[in-house]
Amino acid sequence: MPEGDTVWNTARVLEKALLGDVLTGSDFRVPRLATTDLTGWTVAESASRGKHLLLRLTRDDRAMTLHSHLRMEGAWRAYAPGERWTGRPAHLIRVVLKTKRAVAVGYHLHEVTLVPTAEEDSLVGHLGPDLLGDDWDPAEAVRRIAAKPQASIAEALLDQRNLAGVGNLYKAETLFLRGLWPWTPVADVPDLDGTVRLAQKLVASNRGRWTQTTTGSLRRGQTSYVYGRRAQPCRRCGTAIEKADQDERVTYWCPHCQPKPATSP
Ligand SMILES: [Zn+2]
């Protein structure tokens, strides 16, 4: 599931394939950019901001940013020139960027946009502190979450305006590890700071690998406590893990380890 760590890893893939090189060709298979040609632009930086990818390009004194978002299924793959593109079916290709030494292919991307780099904030300025950014600021994330005391803690962790980079997997796992019922109002969470710091730790610990684990195990079927484990026994207490819809997403929890607070409606 593309969350902050996956997007961070993807930025590194693009960095390794393209950084410092001049584009020798481009192909945009999204209507809005169908006539765009980035030939001659140099790839100056590959960055991530929460779940957003920012590929910064320069040409003479101009600077443009190619923005993309992976959502649930998106991916970028890098190939050697002439190598077969085996990542995904061809009809899912949205962007192709070529240099002399590599071809980067973006599959199933969302929000593919090209803006002057000076205007990046129009795309990512609304985001809260980036879990994997150099400027990660847990106190600011806590301040933003606390500003909506009636929101559920699950909703608050997913809201990228509060903190950027937590998706459904890390949300569910953070709440399990903190013993929090997903519908607990923010106002009733005893330690918001500890919750936010744990979410950051879980995402950060998965940088640099594609298997996401919160348990410490990389073995198939053992990488999560509750996420994706409906009806399976809790790893701590053996109670069957539950699954339910919450704000148009699904959530998983252990009813014993994450009890509904007595004060909640
Ligand atoms: Zn349990």
Side-chain angles (χ1 to χ4, degrees):
M1 165 140 323
E3 305 201 21
D5 55 329
T6 311
V7 179
W8 189 92
N9 289 344
T10 303
R12 303 289 82 74
V13 168
L14 291 175
E15 191 172 79
K16 195 169 165 226
L18 304 174
L19 194 71
D21 286 353
V22 177
L23 295 178
T24 55
S26 70
D27 180 8
F28 286 90
R29 304 183 190 173
V30 288
R32 191 158 39 141
L33 295 175
T35 60
T36 300
D37 182 4
L38 293 176
T39 302
W41 287 77
T42 299
V43 178
E45 195 173 3
S46 175
S48 60
R49 186 88 202 155
K51 298 198 263 179
H52 300 251
L53 277 163
L54 303 166
L55 194 68
R56 300 185 180 119
L57 307 158
T58 56
R59 186 172 193 173
D60 304 322
D61 57 354
R62 286 182 293 163
M64 298 288 284
T65 297
L66 176 62
H67 168 274
S68 58
H69 197 291
L70 304 180
R71 290 208 201 150
M72 303 295 270
E73 314 90 352
W76 280 93
R77 295 280 184 272
Y79 303 101
E83 188 183 347
R84 253 186 87 221
W85 302 349
T86 51
R88 305 278 172 95
H91 73 272
L92 295 176
I93 295 173
R94 298 291 176 268
V95 182
V96 179
L97 301 173
K98 294 182 180 179
T99 69
K100 271 186 188 166
R101 66 183 175 97
V103 183
V105 180
Y107 297 94
H108 216 134
L109 304 174
H110 297 268
E111 303 170 43
V112 179
T113 321
L114 192 64
V115 296
T117 298
E119 294 170 23
E120 262 180 22
D121 266 5
S122 66
L123 301 169
V124 293
H126 64 289
L127 297 174
D130 180 359
L131 293 168
L132 301 180
D134 297 332
D135 54 349
W136 164 239
D137 181 352
E140 173 63 11
V142 167
R143 192 190 66 75
R144 289 178 181 227
I145 290 172
K148 276 186 170 175
Q150 292 317 309
S152 72
I153 184 61
E155 188 188 345
L157 288 177
L158 285 179
D159 188 338
Q160 305 293 302
R161 293 168 298 184
N162 290 336
L163 70 175
V166 174
N168 221 19
L169 163 72
Y170 292 115
K171 172 206 78 178
E173 296 292 293
T174 298
L175 296 180
F176 171 79
L177 289 166
R178 300 297 301 183
L180 292 167
W181 185 59
W183 290 268
T184 307
V186 161
D188 294 344
V189 173
D191 183 5
L192 273 183
D193 185 62
T195 304
V196 159
R197 285 175 190 272
L198 177 64
Q200 193 275 340
K201 205 175 123 191
L202 292 179
V203 176
S205 69
N206 282 298
R207 268 181 303 193
R209 62 163 175 249
W210 297 98
T211 303
Q212 296 170 310
T213 180
T214 54
T215 59
S217 172
L218 293 172
R219 293 179 63 174
R220 195 180 175 86
Q222 295 185 14
T223 56
S224 69
Y225 287 103
V226 292
Y227 187 83
R229 299 193 64 240
R230 184 169 70 99
Q232 294 180 50
C234 173
R235 298 192 194 284
R236 286 197 173 156
C237 73
T239 304
I241 300 300
E242 296 201 18
K243 174 190 178 185
D245 290 328
Q246 182 177 19
D247 307 314
E248 295 166 19
R249 305 295 295 273
V250 294
T251 202
Y252 298 86
W253 77 103
C254 170
H256 178 77
C257 297
Q258 300 166 261
K260 179 177 173 178
T263 53
S264 282

